[in-house]
Amino acid sequence: MIKLKLLLRTWMLAIAILLGVLLYFLGDNYLPNPAAKTMAMHWIKTLQPILIFVMLMITFCKVEPRSLRLTSWHGYLLILQTLGFSIAAMFIIGANPTYRPIAEGALLCFICPTATSAAVVTDKLKGDVAGVISYTILANMLAALLLPTVVSLMIPSQIGFLTSLWSIMAKVFPMLIFPFFVAWGIRTYFPQILKQILAVKDLAFHIWAICLTLAITTSTHALMHSVAPFSTLLSICLVSLVSCALQFGIGRIIGRKHHSLVAASQAIGQKNTVFAIWAGFTFFDPLSSLAGGFYSIFHNLWNSYQLSQQARSEQRG
């Protein structure tokens, strides 16, 4: 049983991806009519932000606020994310509709906040866990501010910029920032609830797996209903790969200079790709949500390699 649990945890990403694809095809083949299929997708899109909120709240419940601290590498990584996001946004403005989903995919890969599981991987790689958690909060704040602003500028609206900005922030800000304050409130005023939350081992991890399954379902829906050429799909895949390699690589360079190689690399490289897929499907061309799916595969492959190298190093030691 222990070996089975370990196997399931090791291959949770692959299982979630396969389940997400399977869920789409089951719905497409067995739901009785187009209206039922539309309703199913509506409920999936409704459930996603709720699950992301709960996942972040549980993660932040594990954090002692007094242990959080700001470091110089946090600032450099925030600048890097903002720069990559801004460059992609400039490409989107006035872009040919054929290439727009590619730039939107790059934008999502850079603005996407740090994954809640980054702290777990960092801990196993003997990195600065508190630094990663601090950056997770900062990255969520950055995404909550930049994404609504750029979306409001890029998408034509008849209701005015400020109204459009507020409507988008109302979707993004509560999901990314409120979990921290809710968790802080639980830690301060409801210690019994906190104890029950922390007693359920890997609760956030399992919720993340459900989120990923639903996110892959929406990405599969976008892929199957797309009329985009294969070259566009391949380009989105390559953009995700390049974005992943750049962020992990530059994170390592910055981290090495500040004696936090593992933490800085994981903080900016390991992404909450469920959020990227949701944001792509909600605010941009649904095809751009595929970037989050590809990125999820790439960053987990890299993490698997790092963890295997760490295990070998510990065995030799």
mmCIF file of all heavy atoms in Angstrom, residues 101-121:
data_model
loop_
_atom_site.group_PDB
_atom_site.id
_atom_site.type_symbol
_atom_site.label_atom_id
_atom_site.label_comp_id
_atom_site.label_asym_id
_atom_site.label_seq_id
_atom_site.Cartn_x
_atom_site.Cartn_y
_atom_site.Cartn_z
ATOM 1 N N PRO A 101 -2.439 34.030 -30.182
ATOM 2 C CA PRO A 101 -2.429 33.034 -29.098
ATOM 3 C C PRO A 101 -1.025 32.638 -28.650
ATOM 4 O O PRO A 101 -0.826 32.267 -27.491
ATOM 5 C CB PRO A 101 -3.165 31.835 -29.712
ATOM 6 C CG PRO A 101 -3.984 32.412 -30.810
ATOM 7 C CD PRO A 101 -3.178 33.549 -31.350
ATOM 8 N N ILE A 102 -0.044 32.719 -29.554
ATOM 9 C CA ILE A 102 1.344 32.376 -29.208
ATOM 10 C C ILE A 102 1.890 33.394 -28.216
ATOM 11 O O ILE A 102 2.473 33.034 -27.181
ATOM 12 C CB ILE A 102 2.215 32.319 -30.477
ATOM 13 C CG1 ILE A 102 1.649 31.296 -31.474
ATOM 14 C CG2 ILE A 102 3.660 31.985 -30.121
ATOM 15 C CD1 ILE A 102 2.326 31.336 -32.832
ATOM 16 N N ALA A 103 1.691 34.687 -28.526
ATOM 17 C CA ALA A 103 2.153 35.741 -27.622
ATOM 18 C C ALA A 103 1.387 35.698 -26.302
ATOM 19 O O ALA A 103 1.969 35.926 -25.226
ATOM 20 C CB ALA A 103 1.994 37.107 -28.286
ATOM 21 N N GLU A 104 0.098 35.402 -26.368
ATOM 22 C CA GLU A 104 -0.686 35.290 -25.138
ATOM 23 C C GLU A 104 -0.191 34.136 -24.276
ATOM 24 O O GLU A 104 -0.167 34.233 -23.044
ATOM 25 C CB GLU A 104 -2.165 35.103 -25.490
ATOM 26 C CG GLU A 104 -2.813 36.344 -26.076
ATOM 27 C CD GLU A 104 -4.234 36.104 -26.557
ATOM 28 O OE1 GLU A 104 -4.653 34.924 -26.644
ATOM 29 O OE2 GLU A 104 -4.929 37.088 -26.855
ATOM 30 N N GLY A 105 0.213 33.057 -24.920
ATOM 31 C CA GLY A 105 0.775 31.929 -24.184
ATOM 32 C C GLY A 105 2.058 32.313 -23.469
ATOM 33 O O GLY A 105 2.272 31.946 -22.305
ATOM 34 N N ALA A 106 2.924 33.081 -24.155
ATOM 35 C CA ALA A 106 4.164 33.555 -23.526
ATOM 36 C C ALA A 106 3.854 34.475 -22.354
ATOM 37 O O ALA A 106 4.482 34.386 -21.283
ATOM 38 C CB ALA A 106 5.027 34.284 -24.559
ATOM 39 N N LEU A 107 2.888 35.346 -22.532
ATOM 40 C CA LEU A 107 2.478 36.265 -21.469
ATOM 41 C C LEU A 107 2.048 35.489 -20.224
ATOM 42 O O LEU A 107 2.444 35.807 -19.102
ATOM 43 C CB LEU A 107 1.336 37.151 -21.981
ATOM 44 C CG LEU A 107 0.737 38.200 -21.063
ATOM 45 C CD1 LEU A 107 0.263 39.404 -21.872
ATOM 46 C CD2 LEU A 107 -0.457 37.624 -20.288
ATOM 47 N N LEU A 108 1.252 34.451 -20.423
ATOM 48 C CA LEU A 108 0.767 33.643 -19.294
ATOM 49 C C LEU A 108 1.914 32.895 -18.614
ATOM 50 O O LEU A 108 1.924 32.749 -17.389
ATOM 51 C CB LEU A 108 -0.290 32.650 -19.786
ATOM 52 C CG LEU A 108 -1.626 33.261 -20.206
ATOM 53 C CD1 LEU A 108 -2.499 32.211 -20.895
ATOM 54 C CD2 LEU A 108 -2.360 33.841 -19.009
ATOM 55 N N CYS A 109 2.877 32.434 -19.395
ATOM 56 C CA CYS A 109 4.012 31.694 -18.820
ATOM 57 C C CYS A 109 4.851 32.573 -17.903
ATOM 58 O O CYS A 109 5.451 32.081 -16.942
ATOM 59 C CB CYS A 109 4.892 31.122 -19.930
ATOM 60 S SG CYS A 109 4.158 29.718 -20.803
ATOM 61 N N PHE A 110 4.903 33.882 -18.183
ATOM 62 C CA PHE A 110 5.714 34.771 -17.361
ATOM 63 C C PHE A 110 4.940 35.324 -16.171
ATOM 64 O O PHE A 110 5.498 35.449 -15.074
ATOM 65 C CB PHE A 110 6.277 35.914 -18.207
ATOM 66 C CG PHE A 110 7.545 35.558 -18.924
ATOM 67 C CD1 PHE A 110 7.524 35.116 -20.237
ATOM 68 C CD2 PHE A 110 8.763 35.629 -18.275
ATOM 69 C CE1 PHE A 110 8.690 34.767 -20.901
ATOM 70 C CE2 PHE A 110 9.946 35.281 -18.925
ATOM 71 C CZ PHE A 110 9.912 34.847 -20.240
ATOM 72 N N ILE A 111 3.684 35.674 -16.356
ATOM 73 C CA ILE A 111 2.940 36.301 -15.263
ATOM 74 C C ILE A 111 2.381 35.271 -14.290
ATOM 75 O O ILE A 111 2.014 35.610 -13.158
ATOM 76 C CB ILE A 111 1.784 37.173 -15.814
ATOM 77 C CG1 ILE A 111 1.332 38.186 -14.759
ATOM 78 C CG2 ILE A 111 0.623 36.319 -16.294
ATOM 79 C CD1 ILE A 111 2.417 39.076 -14.226
ATOM 80 N N CYS A 112 2.342 34.025 -14.678
ATOM 81 C CA CYS A 112 1.780 32.976 -13.821
ATOM 82 C C CYS A 112 2.505 32.931 -12.473
ATOM 83 O O CYS A 112 3.735 32.889 -12.424
ATOM 84 C CB CYS A 112 1.914 31.629 -14.533
ATOM 85 S SG CYS A 112 1.153 30.270 -13.649
ATOM 86 N N PRO A 113 1.778 32.948 -11.352
ATOM 87 C CA PRO A 113 2.419 32.946 -10.028
ATOM 88 C C PRO A 113 3.140 31.631 -9.749
ATOM 89 O O PRO A 113 2.972 30.632 -10.447
ATOM 90 C CB PRO A 113 1.233 33.127 -9.061
ATOM 91 C CG PRO A 113 0.092 33.606 -9.888
ATOM 92 C CD PRO A 113 0.315 33.048 -11.259
ATOM 93 N N THR A 114 3.908 31.655 -8.689
ATOM 94 C CA THR A 114 4.650 30.469 -8.254
ATOM 95 C C THR A 114 3.696 29.369 -7.800
ATOM 96 O O THR A 114 2.679 29.643 -7.158
ATOM 97 C CB THR A 114 5.587 30.833 -7.086
ATOM 98 O OG1 THR A 114 6.395 31.946 -7.484
ATOM 99 C CG2 THR A 114 6.468 29.675 -6.704
ATOM 100 N N ALA A 115 4.020 28.133 -8.131
ATOM 101 C CA ALA A 115 3.181 26.997 -7.737
ATOM 102 C C ALA A 115 3.234 26.793 -6.228
ATOM 103 O O ALA A 115 4.265 27.017 -5.592
ATOM 104 C CB ALA A 115 3.655 25.727 -8.442
ATOM 105 N N THR A 116 2.122 26.357 -5.666
ATOM 106 C CA THR A 116 2.082 26.083 -4.233
ATOM 107 C C THR A 116 3.012 24.928 -3.855
ATOM 108 O O THR A 116 3.469 24.839 -2.717
ATOM 109 C CB THR A 116 0.648 25.742 -3.782
ATOM 110 O OG1 THR A 116 0.170 24.632 -4.549
ATOM 111 C CG2 THR A 116 -0.276 26.919 -3.989
ATOM 112 N N SER A 117 3.281 24.056 -4.820
ATOM 113 C CA SER A 117 4.157 22.911 -4.553
ATOM 114 C C SER A 117 5.632 23.280 -4.646
ATOM 115 O O SER A 117 6.500 22.443 -4.371
ATOM 116 C CB SER A 117 3.853 21.778 -5.545
ATOM 117 O OG SER A 117 3.996 22.228 -6.881
ATOM 118 N N ALA A 118 5.948 24.524 -5.026
ATOM 119 C CA ALA A 118 7.351 24.925 -5.158
ATOM 120 C C ALA A 118 8.081 24.821 -3.823
ATOM 121 O O ALA A 118 9.259 24.448 -3.778
ATOM 122 C CB ALA A 118 7.442 26.353 -5.702
ATOM 123 N N ALA A 119 7.382 25.146 -2.741
ATOM 124 C CA ALA A 119 8.013 25.076 -1.417
ATOM 125 C C ALA A 119 8.376 23.640 -1.054
ATOM 126 O O ALA A 119 9.414 23.382 -0.440
ATOM 127 C CB ALA A 119 7.085 25.670 -0.361
ATOM 128 N N VAL A 120 7.516 22.695 -1.469
ATOM 129 C CA VAL A 120 7.772 21.283 -1.176
ATOM 130 C C VAL A 120 9.017 20.812 -1.912
ATOM 131 O O VAL A 120 9.900 20.164 -1.336
ATOM 132 C CB VAL A 120 6.556 20.418 -1.567
ATOM 133 C CG1 VAL A 120 6.853 18.942 -1.315
ATOM 134 C CG2 VAL A 120 5.324 20.853 -0.787
ATOM 135 N N VAL A 121 9.097 21.142 -3.204
ATOM 136 C CA VAL A 121 10.259 20.737 -4.000
ATOM 137 C C VAL A 121 11.524 21.410 -3.483
ATOM 138 O O VAL A 121 12.586 20.782 -3.382
ATOM 139 C CB VAL A 121 10.035 21.074 -5.486
ATOM 140 C CG1 VAL A 121 11.279 20.750 -6.316
ATOM 141 C CG2 VAL A 121 8.835 20.312 -6.037
#
